[in-house]
Structures are given as structure tokens and as C-alpha cells.
Amino acid sequence: MTLVPWAILSRIAYAANGEIESVDDINIINEKVNNALDLASRTQQTADKILLQVNDILGISLDLWIYILLGICLFIILGMIFLLNQRANDNRIVNDKIRQLEGKIDKLERCIETFENEKNKTKTISVTTINKPTKEIFDYKTNNEFLGRNDANETLQNQNMNLVQKEFELKQSKKEQEDEFKELKMKYMDFVNKYNNLYRFSGYEAKQKRKTFEQDFNIRTFTCNNYEKRIDELSDIRESYSEPTFKDSGSDGVYWATFMKDNMYAVVPRFNITYENQLHEMAGMKEAFNSDYKNEGAYKYIKVIKPAFFSYLNGNWKLEEQGKLELRKQ
């Protein structure tokens, strides 16, 4: 604001050194100096007013900006907390899936190990039961040819060969039976485990799981068809009554069966059946299953330890091997 007066004064000083030619020039310069001073004063006043207004405006805006910035900071902090919490949940889900995959990998490794063991057993049998007897037969034939073969020796040789062949066939048959039994056991254990798992569900979900189970194992149902006859016999206070007989039935059958091999079926009690005294005594349950049943009311929960095995022919079911149950009221 003071640059203009200083410039004019400098001009006067310069003129005083010999540049002023007349009094008019001095008057002109003096007038310009006064005008400049008036302009500077008015400019100073205007600037002061502007500064006051700016200070008022900035004072109001500063408080407003402080609140806005505080709100933005709070929003950012809440957003970071939400993202961190979401990430922690995602990590838990991923860890659960990793544990499930590790469990499946362990099962697969055990299956591979079992397969390798069975494979090695098969190789061992093929070497010990085939190659060695063949060598013994060759030595025997060589000795007989060297000594001179006759009818008695030839008969003895044939008998030995038959014995070796039968021994080999017996071992092979035993091996096949063992493999078949292992496969059968894995199949019925899967059936039993999934049946027991049904009791974890209730209501609508239990109905859906039951329907899926029946479809997966192609469930067939049957019942004790001389149930009422056995009750009548018991009411007559007989010393003994008829053995239970089993026939095909509709969906109300008390036994569930799934196919195993040939005409053999694995059998369990119908899901959600109430296990009580008449079912145990008269409907064939105590004959089909060994259980911890006590005549103390009804049992709602059934755990199958081992299924019973029934053979099937033309609508008739015959108990071949007893199963085992654990009963629970609640």
C-alpha cells in the first residue's frame, strides 16, 4: 500500500537534484503526491474492511470444516473396523474348509495305503503259491524220468499235481473271500453311519434327509407278518410261541433293508420308530437284534452298531445273522 508514495517521493528527490525546471512542475508533482496519498488511504481502508469480512467468513468455515473432518475420520474408522471383522470371518471360513480338506486327504491316504497293502499281498501270494510248486513239480518229473517212469510213479505224480492245484485254488478262494468281505463291510458300514446320522435332524429337515437316504440305498421294507398270532399265543400263557416270520410290506414296515450281494440284505429298524415292549417281544426285534433293551417304557433313539443280515426270496425274508443296537430314551 505504501509503494506509490515512496515512488513519488523518489521522483521528487530525483527532480531536486536538478531535473525540476519550473514552479509549475513542482505544483504538478505536489498535486500528484496528494492524490497518491489519498488513494493509498482509501485503499488501506478498503483492505481493512475486506480483512474483517474474510476473518468472519474464515471463523465460521473453520468450525464447520472441523465437524466435517471429524465425521469423515469417524466414518473411515468404522469402515476399517467392519473390513477387519469381515476379513476375520473370511479367515475362519477358509480355515474350516482347510480342515475339512485335510480330513478328506487323510481318508484318501489311508485308502491308498490299504490298496497298496492288498496289492503287495496279492503279489506275494502269486510268487509263493505258483512259482514254488511249479519248481517242485519240475524236480519231481526230472527225478522220475531219471529213475525210469512207471504207472505207479505217474499216478503219484498226478496226485501231487492235483494237490498243488487244489491248494492254490483254496488260497485264491480264501483271498477272494477276504477281499469280498472287506468290500461288503465297507458298504454296510456306510449304510449304518448314514442311518445313525439321521437322528441328528428333526422336523422338516429330518423328512428331507430320510427321503434322500431311502433313495440313495434303495430301501425295501418288510415286517413280522405273524405279529398278531404271536400276541394271541402269548395271551394264552403258553410256555412258548411261534418264531417270527417276515414278509414284504408297504411303507409301514418296521424293517429297512438295503441290498448287499446275491440275495443278502443289511437290515436296520425303520427310522424314527418308537422301540417299545411289543415291538421288542412280538415284532421280531429281539430275534433280529441283540440290544440293551429293558422293559422300562419307550426308546426314541436307536443307534445301530451292526446291521442284521437277511436273505430274500419271493417276498419272504429270513434272518441269517443277528445285528446289534444301542437304545436311548432321549
Side-chain angles (χ1 to χ4, degrees), residues 10-43:
S10 298
R11 177 76 179 184
I12 293 171
Y14 180 78
N17 289 328
E19 296 295 329
I20 298 175
E21 296 179 356
S22 65
V23 177
D24 292 335
D25 290 335
I26 293 173
N27 291 333
I28 292 171
I29 291 171
N30 185 42
E31 184 178 356
K32 288 182 179 181
V33 169
N34 291 330
N35 291 336
L37 291 172
D38 291 337
L39 179 61
S41 178
R42 289 194 300 271
T43 302

Side-chain angles (χ1 to χ4, degrees), residues 61-318:
S61 300
L62 183 61
D63 293 339
L64 181 61
W65 276 107
I66 288 173
Y67 287 117
I68 291 173
L69 289 174
L70 288 174
I72 292 173
C73 291
L74 180 61
F75 178 77
I76 292 172
I77 291 170
L78 292 176
M80 291 177 67
I81 292 172
F82 174 78
L83 290 176
L84 290 174
N85 187 42
Q86 188 69 26
R87 184 173 181 181
N89 290 335
D90 292 342
N91 288 337
R92 283 195 293 270
I93 293 171
V94 170
N95 289 334
D96 290 341
K97 291 184 177 179
I98 290 172
R99 284 193 291 271
Q100 292 175 2
L101 288 174
E102 288 176 346
K104 292 181 179 179
I105 290 171
D106 290 339
K107 289 182 180 179
L108 182 60
E109 288 177 348
R110 287 196 296 269
C111 290
I112 293 173
E113 184 178 354
T114 302
F115 174 77
E116 290 294 334
N117 292 336
E118 294 300 325
K119 185 178 178 182
N120 292 334
K121 287 181 182 178
T122 303
K123 289 181 178 179
T124 304
I125 289 173
S126 63
V127 172
T128 57
T129 59
I130 298 177
N131 294 340
K132 187 174 180 180
T134 303
K135 183 178 184 303
E136 291 175 354
I137 293 170
F138 175 78
D139 293 340
Y140 178 81
K141 287 175 67 177
T142 303
N143 292 335
N144 274 289
E145 288 173 359
F146 177 77
L147 295 173
R149 192 171 53 180
N150 53 36
D151 293 339
N153 289 336
E154 186 174 356
T155 302
L156 182 60
Q157 179 183 357
N158 291 334
Q159 289 176 349
N160 288 337
M161 291 182 66
N162 290 334
L163 288 174
V164 171
Q165 182 66 25
K166 287 180 180 179
E167 183 183 359
F168 171 72
E169 291 176 353
L170 182 62
K171 289 182 179 179
Q172 287 295 99
S173 176
K174 185 178 180 181
K175 173 65 170 55
E176 290 174 358
Q177 289 176 358
E178 289 176 352
D179 291 344
E180 189 174 6
F181 175 75
K182 289 179 181 178
E183 182 180 358
L184 184 64
K185 186 175 181 180
M186 289 179 63
K187 186 175 180 181
Y188 82 67
M189 285 306 297
D190 181 53
F191 172 63
V192 166
N193 290 336
K194 289 184 178 178
Y195 171 85
N196 290 335
N197 193 52
L198 291 176
Y199 283 91
R200 294 175 53 197
F201 305 97
S202 61
Y204 176 77
E205 191 174 9
K207 291 180 180 179
Q208 295 299 314
K209 295 292 183 180
R210 170 179 175 167
K211 184 177 180 181
T212 302
F213 178 85
E214 292 183 75
Q215 292 174 348
D216 290 344
F217 290 98
N218 194 22
I219 295 297
R220 301 185 64 168
T221 59
F222 64 93
T223 191
C224 175
N225 70 317
N226 62 342
Y227 172 79
E228 295 180 356
K229 179 183 177 182
R230 299 182 82 204
I231 293 177
D232 293 338
E233 291 173 348
L234 184 65
S235 64
D236 291 340
I237 316 180
R238 298 186 183 184
E239 292 183 0
S240 63
Y241 46 91
S242 304
E243 290 294 321
T245 57
F246 304 94
K247 294 277 188 181
D248 278 338
S249 68
S251 59
D252 59 340
V254 297
Y255 295 92
W256 274 6
T258 186
F259 177 76
M260 289 286 109
K261 55 168 286 186
D262 299 333
N263 66 333
M264 191 68 63
Y265 287 77
V267 176
V268 296
R270 189 183 74 219
F271 171 62
N272 264 351
I273 195 170
T274 301
Y275 198 105
E276 39 74 36
N277 185 59
Q278 286 195 350
L279 186 72
H280 179 75
E281 293 288 344
M282 299 291 102
M285 282 291 175
K286 73 175 183 179
E287 286 83 4
F289 298 98
N290 179 22
S291 70
D292 55 351
Y293 174 75
K294 296 178 182 178
N295 191 9
E296 298 175 352
Y299 294 80
K300 293 184 178 180
Y301 297 94
I302 299 173
K303 180 178 180 180
V304 176
I305 306 301
K306 177 189 172 186
F309 288 94
F310 280 72
S311 58
Y312 175 77
L313 182 63
N314 298 328
N316 297 310
W317 297 84
K318 180 183 177 183

